[in-house]
Amino acid sequence: MPAATLSRRELLAAVAASSLVPAACRNDVAAPPRPPSVAFPLARFPSGVRVTVQVGGHPVEVLRDGTGVTVRSLVCTHQGCEVFWDEQESVYRCPCHDAKYAPDGQVIAGPPPRPLPVRPARIDGERLLVEA
Ligand code: FES
């Protein structure tokens, strides 16, 4: 069986075409590395108590309940001010432009374009792991 050969022109065309394929479409690109996790002692987060900690230099709220844990960013999605939990109204408030977020992080008033995001987290034994 004769070996297949490419002319110089065909070879250059093949190389050029392969470089035009976006990296996300190629099979030879490894999956992006998972972000490192930040570990906290689970005892620091009593069930039903909102605790603010820093993850990756940003404030997040940790709230445990009977079924698990929610770790929510406390960075306003409008211009990045730190929001706080208003216990009397049961809303998150942003002091910069008077925005309000519902307990699930959805925007209910003000200029923020998106809800407060929930950070990936899991309980691992006696530790809480939060993706940075
Ligand atoms: Fe929060 Fe503008 S920065 S409402």
Side-chain angles (χ1 to χ4, degrees):
M1 172 184 261
T5 58
L6 295 175
S7 69
R8 178 180 165 83
R9 177 174 294 195
E10 291 169 327
L11 180 60
L12 290 174
V15 169
S18 69
S19 66
L20 296 176
V21 176
C25 298
R26 293 189 211 153
N27 291 332
D28 61 341
V29 176
R34 294 184 60 172
S37 294
V38 179
F40 297 95
L42 194 56
R44 191 170 169 187
F45 309 106
S47 185
V49 178
R50 298 173 187 274
V51 179
T52 299
V53 295
Q54 298 287 317
V55 174
H58 300 286
V60 298
E61 176 194 77
V62 177
L63 180 58
R64 289 178 65 196
D65 62 18
T67 60
V69 63
T70 302
V71 178
R72 187 179 315 281
S73 170
L74 294 177
V75 178
C76 182
T77 60
H78 180 224
Q79 292 181 352
C81 293
E82 183 172 344
V83 305
F84 65 93
W85 177 251
D86 180 337
E87 190 68 47
Q88 288 191 335
E89 284 196 41
S90 293
V91 295
Y92 294 96
R93 287 184 172 277
C94 179
C96 291
H97 305 103
D98 204 24
K100 291 182 188 177
Y101 295 87
D104 66 356
Q106 296 297 314
V107 178
I108 54 177
R114 294 177 305 283
L116 295 172
V118 172
R119 303 284 290 264
R122 65 187 168 90
I123 294 173
D124 179 32
E126 293 303 313
R127 301 183 312 160
L128 171 67
L129 300 175
V130 181
E131 284 189 17

